[in-house]
């Protein structure tokens, strides 16, 4: 009976076998009738577990274990993930687009940028020890390595930021160049160095132009220290509120002792710095101008293309023959320019008639005769203006020649001894342009070949910042038309003219004399008319005014001021300015929108 029961057990361990295979782990209790069923079941489970473990070890040996389980590989993957995370964070901090205003990481990066200069946190995030130029903007300025390293060298070792030192340097320059005082022949009811908080009646005082020119003839660049000065001089540190009151009234004034302007002037008076800045890794041919005498008049070439092409062909042929020739002919004879002015009398007479006809047509909109007369006068006005434009451009020649040369080439022409100067000798101008936001997508300098975008890092007080960071000299940053610098040779004269936007003018090296006039003097300025290549400029040669050809000029009233290193002058829209370089000088200016306050004055004289 016992034997029969054992045969029915399918998993019996009798005789040390299991399914015909020897079991090396038999407990030896299979024949013992005292071993319970539960014990035998436990033994079988344990044997099965051991067999599975042996099978797993055999599979691992066949598969060599796999690279993913290598501890070194795992450590490398962990390091890669960590560096990827750091890289993504740095990218977000330094490259998030400007338009993503709501991004908290972007706001954090902007906060860092406003406080981290030199070797601060943001500098390290941007590339270890890469130098961040103080007060630089993110999207405007120069980030080229040569300029960054130049600024690192001079900001760290030569001219570290020290406002007190820079302001003392500027003051020493003014004393060295000479202190200008008010002429006893030109009293003012206010102290120009301690002006009232708000503009007094009649500010700025003006005097007869012939008196000012007699006191100091324009062809004499040697300083005469008694001026007919009408402009107030404000100290940036203590009188900025006063200056703002005058600016709100759109009146001109001068600002001195601006620490930022003083720092730039200090650097720009270092010849080695300027050589490295303008030659260094940027040995670029920039804009320059040539004049056969000391007069420079702005112009736009309106000659037909075939005429211009023939002129250039003739010049090139003469140059190939070894002749030294230029396409600049000077400001032109006053009698010839007076002929160009004659048509303006007809235009002005028609303008009076046209205004009267407009009023009559507005009062009587159903009067057909009034409408017909208005239409006739409008047609006649158009024909008269077209005639003026055509006649004024006949027999015209460019007053200056536009060239391109390096800074050192210009300096070789301009930095000459006084015996080689004189009003009838050739003179040279040198120009720099920083594009900034001058039109759409010009931050890369595409507004001008060889642009100098580092001007926005040099003249930080002319940056187009907005809100609380807006510089005092910028009225409408969105309307800024770049930064323009003009390096003048001693004796250079920029002819009298007005501009259609407000100006902030900064002298950084040398001295410039400015003769200014209110827009209400427009009729006395004898301006070349609209359509003329030099429209908006005076036809009168202020060095030798022809009062027979231009009798109105005698009635003009003006004032004058001399700008020295670090000085910044605010000049409102449509104000006239005539400029004389008293020595080799560097001057930069920027415009930030216009104002219509004086529009009537210039409209009444043909503009």
């Amino acid at each position: 009976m016992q034997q029969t029961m054992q045969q029915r057990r399918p998993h019996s361990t009798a005789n040390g076998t299991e399914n015909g295979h020897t079991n090396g782990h038999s407990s030896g209790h299979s024949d013992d009738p005292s071993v319970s069923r539960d014990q035998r079941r436990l033994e079988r489970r344990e044997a099965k577990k051991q067999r599975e473990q042996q099978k797993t070890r055999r599979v691992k040996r066949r598969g060599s274990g796999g690279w993913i389980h290598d501890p070194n590989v795992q450590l490398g993957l962990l390091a890669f993930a960590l560096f990827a995370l750091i890289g993504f964070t740095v990218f977000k901090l330094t490259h998030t687009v400007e338009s993503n205003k709501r991004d908290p990481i972007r706001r954090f990066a902007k906060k860092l940028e406003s406080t981290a200069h030199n070797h601060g946190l943001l500098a390290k995030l941007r590339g270890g020890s890469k130098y961040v130029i103080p007060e630089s903007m993110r999207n405007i300025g120069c980030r080229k390595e040569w300029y960054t390293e130049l600024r690192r060298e001079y900001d760290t070792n030569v001219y570290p930021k020290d406002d007190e030192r820079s302001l003392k340097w500027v003051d020493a320059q003014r004393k060295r160049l000479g202190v200008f005082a008010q002429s006893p022949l030109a009293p003012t009811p206010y102290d120009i160095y301690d002006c009232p908080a708000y503009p007094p009646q009649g500010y700025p005082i003006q005097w007869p132009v012939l008196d000012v020119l007699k006191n100091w003839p324009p062809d004499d660049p040697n300083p005469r220290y008694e001026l007919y000065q009408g402009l107030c001089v404000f100290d940036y540190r203590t009188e900025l509120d006063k200056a703002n009151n005058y600016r709100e009234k759109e009146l001109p004034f001068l600002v001195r002792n601006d620490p930022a302007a003083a720092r730039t002037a200090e650097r720009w008076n270092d010849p080695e710095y300027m050589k490295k800045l303008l030659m260094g890794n940027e040995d670029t041919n920039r804009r320059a101008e040539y004049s056969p005498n000391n007069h420079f008049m702005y112009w736009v070439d309106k000659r037909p293309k075939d005429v211009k092409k023939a002129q250039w062909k003739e010049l090139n042929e003469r140059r190939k023959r070894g002749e030294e020739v230029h396409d600049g002919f000077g400001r032109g004879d006053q009698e010839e320019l007076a002929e160009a002015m004659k048509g303006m009398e007809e235009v002005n007479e028609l303008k009076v008639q046209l205004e009267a006809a407009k009023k009559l047509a507005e009062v009587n909109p159903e009067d057909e005769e009034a409408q017909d007369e208005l239409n006739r006068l409008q047609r006649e006005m158009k024909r008269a203006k077209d005639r003026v434009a055509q006649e004024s451009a006949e027999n015209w020649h460019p007053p200056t020649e536009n060239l391109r040369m390096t800074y050192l080439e210009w300096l070789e022409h301009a930095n000459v001894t006084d015996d080689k100067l004189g009003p009838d000798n050739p003179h040279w101008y040198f120009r720099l342009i920083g594009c900034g936001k001058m039109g759409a997508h010009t931050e890369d300098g595409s507004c001008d070949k060889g642009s100098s975008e580092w001007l926005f890092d040099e003249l930080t007080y002319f940056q187009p910042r907005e809100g609380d960071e807006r510089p005092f000299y910028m009225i409408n940053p969105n309307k800024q038309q770049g930064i323009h610098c003009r390096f003048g040779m001693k004796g250079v004269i920029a002819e009298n003219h007005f501009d259609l936007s407000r100006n902030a003018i900064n002298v950084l090296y040398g001295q410039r004399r400015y003769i200014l006039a209110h827009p209400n003097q427009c009729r006395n300025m004898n301006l070349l008319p609209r359509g003329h290549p030099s429209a908006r400029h005076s036809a009168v040669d202020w060095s030798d005014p022809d009062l027979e050809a231009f009798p109105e000029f005698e009635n003009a009233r003006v004032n004058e001021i001399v700008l020295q290193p670090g000085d910044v002058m605010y000049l409102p829209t449509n104000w006239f300015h005539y400029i004389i370089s008293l020595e080799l000088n560097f001057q930069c200016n920027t415009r930030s929108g216009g104002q219509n306050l004086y529009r009537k004055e210039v409209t009444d004289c043909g503009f």
Side-chain angles (χ1 to χ4, degrees):
M1 185 69 177
Q2 184 177 0
Q3 182 180 2
T4 304
M5 291 181 66
Q6 289 179 346
Q7 291 175 348
R8 290 179 180 176
R9 296 190 197 111
H11 302 293
S12 174
T13 57
N15 303 320
T17 63
E18 184 176 353
N19 294 335
H21 297 287
T22 302
N23 187 350
H25 298 280
S26 176
S27 63
H29 298 294
S30 56
D31 295 331
D32 189 352
S34 64
V35 176
S36 69
R37 181 183 298 177
D38 291 338
Q39 287 177 320
R40 289 194 295 271
R41 186 176 296 157
L42 182 62
E43 290 175 359
R44 288 196 298 271
R45 288 176 181 172
E46 183 65 26
K48 183 179 180 181
K49 183 178 180 181
Q50 291 176 359
R51 288 195 301 272
E52 287 177 351
Q53 288 177 349
Q54 290 175 349
K55 183 178 179 181
T56 301
R57 284 195 292 268
R58 289 195 298 269
V59 170
K60 285 185 177 181
R61 284 194 296 270
R62 286 197 300 268
S64 72
W67 61 268
I68 195 66
H69 297 285
D70 190 328
N72 293 329
V73 173
Q74 292 176 342
L75 183 62
L77 289 173
L78 180 62
F80 176 83
L82 181 61
F83 279 111
L85 179 62
I86 295 173
F88 175 77
T89 304
V90 171
F91 178 85
K92 290 290 288 182
L93 284 172
T94 57
H95 292 85
T96 305
V97 293
E98 188 70 25
S99 60
N100 195 3
K101 301 293 185 182
R102 298 182 179 179
D103 189 346
I105 296 181
R106 167 65 184 148
R107 291 199 299 270
F108 177 63
K110 188 171 183 179
K111 185 175 181 180
L112 283 177
E113 182 179 29
S114 65
T115 58
H117 297 312
N118 300 345
H119 298 279
L121 175 59
L122 190 60
K124 294 178 181 177
L125 288 176
R126 284 179 169 173
S129 61
K130 184 176 180 181
Y131 185 68
V132 176
I133 298 167
E135 301 175 14
S136 60
M137 296 184 70
R138 175 176 295 276
N139 296 322
I140 294 179
C142 181
R143 298 297 168 266
K144 295 181 180 179
E145 184 177 357
W146 72 265
Y147 178 66
T148 302
E149 289 305 310
L150 176 65
R151 284 298 301 271
R152 182 211 294 271
E153 176 189 355
Y154 276 80
D155 292 349
T156 305
N157 302 323
V158 185
Y159 301 115
K161 184 177 179 181
D162 184 341
D163 290 348
E164 184 178 355
R165 184 203 69 235
S166 298
L167 290 171
K168 285 182 177 179
W169 179 90
V170 165
D171 185 62
Q173 286 294 302
R174 285 197 289 266
K175 292 176 180 177
R176 180 185 67 82
L177 295 170
V179 177
F180 291 87
Q182 192 72 3
S183 170
L185 301 176
T188 59
Y190 49 87
D191 184 347
I192 59 174
Y193 294 106
D194 187 18
C195 284
Y198 293 90
Q201 185 69 27
Y203 175 87
I205 298 297
Q206 300 184 119
W207 295 270
V209 63
L210 297 184
D211 290 351
V212 175
L213 299 181
K214 182 180 179 181
N215 180 64
W216 189 358
D219 281 343
D220 182 8
N222 297 307
R224 301 190 183 185
Y225 293 102
E226 292 185 347
L227 302 179
Y228 284 67
Q229 182 171 330
L231 266 60
C232 289
V233 178
F234 296 116
D235 191 310
Y236 183 92
R237 301 165 296 179
T238 59
E239 297 182 297
L240 212 54
D241 289 340
K242 283 186 182 181
N244 190 59
N245 295 333
Y246 285 66
R247 187 181 64 182
E248 288 181 349
K249 295 295 183 181
E250 289 295 331
L251 293 168
F253 55 86
L254 187 75
V255 173
R256 278 186 169 164
N257 296 324
D258 180 345
R263 291 195 297 271
T264 304
E266 189 177 20
R267 284 197 306 272
W268 281 38
N269 276 260
D270 186 328
E272 285 301 312
Y273 180 76
M274 293 304 288
K275 184 178 179 181
K276 292 177 181 178
L277 180 65
L278 288 161
M279 297 299 292
N281 286 21
E282 224 183 42
D283 186 2
T284 303
N285 285 321
R286 294 183 173 86
R287 296 191 185 201
E289 294 178 55
Y290 161 88
S291 175
N293 52 44
N294 63 336
H295 290 271
F296 284 74
M297 182 181 284
Y298 175 82
W299 55 276
V300 176
D301 198 341
K302 298 187 176 184
R303 295 175 296 178
K305 289 184 179 180
D306 57 337
V307 175
K308 289 189 284 187
K309 187 175 180 180
Q311 177 69 18
W312 274 107
K313 185 177 180 180
E314 179 186 350
L315 284 173
N316 288 332
E317 288 177 352
R318 293 177 62 185
R319 285 168 179 160
K320 287 179 181 178
R321 294 196 296 266
E323 298 182 41
E324 185 176 348
V325 293
H326 292 278
D327 193 27
F329 296 86
R331 69 181 313 280
D333 184 75
Q334 290 185 87
E335 291 184 4
E336 293 179 0
L337 295 177
E339 288 295 321
M341 301 282 300
K342 285 184 177 179
M344 282 305 303
E345 295 180 6
E346 180 185 358
V347 170
N348 289 329
E349 290 175 5
L350 283 171
K351 186 173 181 180
V352 174
Q353 298 176 36
L354 187 60
E355 289 296 325
K358 283 182 180 178
K359 291 180 181 179
L360 184 61
E362 289 173 359
V363 175
N364 304 287
E366 298 180 359
D367 188 336
E368 293 184 0
E369 291 186 1
Q371 294 295 329
D372 289 343
E373 178 64 9
L374 176 60
N375 292 335
R376 184 190 70 81
L377 287 171
Q378 287 176 335
R379 290 193 298 271
E380 186 62 29
M381 173 67 86
K382 185 178 184 306
R383 285 194 293 268
K385 286 184 174 180
D386 289 344
R387 258 194 321 273
V388 168
Q390 182 178 356
E391 292 172 358
S392 64
E394 287 182 355
N395 301 317
W396 174 84
H397 296 286
T400 63
E401 181 181 9
N402 291 324
L403 305 165
R404 283 196 175 268
M405 60 178 61
T406 66
Y407 167 68
L408 292 183
E409 287 175 330
W410 169 80
L411 196 61
E412 185 177 355
H413 288 296
N415 194 20
V416 297
T417 54
D418 285 355
D419 60 300
K420 295 181 180 179
L421 294 171
D424 298 321
N425 289 331
H427 284 68
W428 306 79
Y429 237 158
F430 186 72
R431 296 179 59 186
L432 303 174
I433 298 177
C435 301
K437 294 182 178 179
M438 192 192 301
H441 309 296
T442 59
E443 291 88 346
D444 59 352
S446 58
C447 76
D448 182 62
K449 181 181 179 181
S451 66
S452 304
E453 295 309 294
W454 41 259
L455 286 171
F456 290 92
D457 301 303
E458 292 288 324
L459 287 75
T460 56
Y461 41 94
F462 283 173
Q463 290 175 343
R465 295 182 182 269
E466 299 183 26
D468 294 339
E469 296 181 338
R470 178 175 63 85
F472 175 76
Y473 311 105
M474 298 297 298
I475 311 303
N476 188 346
N478 289 326
K479 296 290 186 180
Q480 188 189 43
Q481 295 297 308
I483 297 177
H484 299 257
C485 298
R486 291 168 173 83
F487 292 11
M489 178 178 176
K490 183 177 181 179
V492 161
I493 290 174
E495 298 292 343
N496 180 50
H497 66 284
F498 73 89
D499 294 315
L500 298 173
S501 57
R502 55 175 69 90
N503 250 324
I505 303 167
N506 177 210
V507 166
L508 294 162
Y509 179 89
Q511 302 182 98
R512 284 194 175 202
R513 176 190 178 199
Y514 287 78
I515 302 179
L516 310 175
H518 193 286
N520 61 20
Q521 299 299 305
C522 191
R523 286 190 175 274
N524 297 325
M525 294 301 176
N526 301 104
L527 300 180
L528 291 165
R530 294 179 66 176
H532 190 279
S534 296
R536 296 183 294 109
H537 288 68
S538 178
V540 182
D541 181 355
W542 287 32
S543 297
D544 185 21
D546 186 342
L547 298 181
E548 291 185 6
F550 306 108
E552 302 89 349
F553 183 69
E554 187 174 5
N555 301 321
R557 300 182 71 83
V558 301
N559 56 49
E560 64 182 335
I561 191 168
V562 172
L563 269 64
Q564 297 175 317
D567 290 348
V568 183
M569 180 172 66
Y570 176 70
L571 192 67
T573 309
N574 297 330
W575 278 68
F576 292 96
H577 44 295
Y578 179 89
I579 313 165
I580 306 112
S581 291
L582 303 182
E583 58 184 288
L584 195 77
N585 64 89
F586 307 155
Q587 171 252 303
C588 298
N589 73 287
T590 191
R591 301 175 185 176
S592 56
Q595 225 281 347
N596 292 324
L597 180 61
Y598 303 109
R599 186 62 196 163
K600 185 178 185 302
E601 283 84 345
V602 296
T603 301
D604 287 346
C605 64
F607 296 90

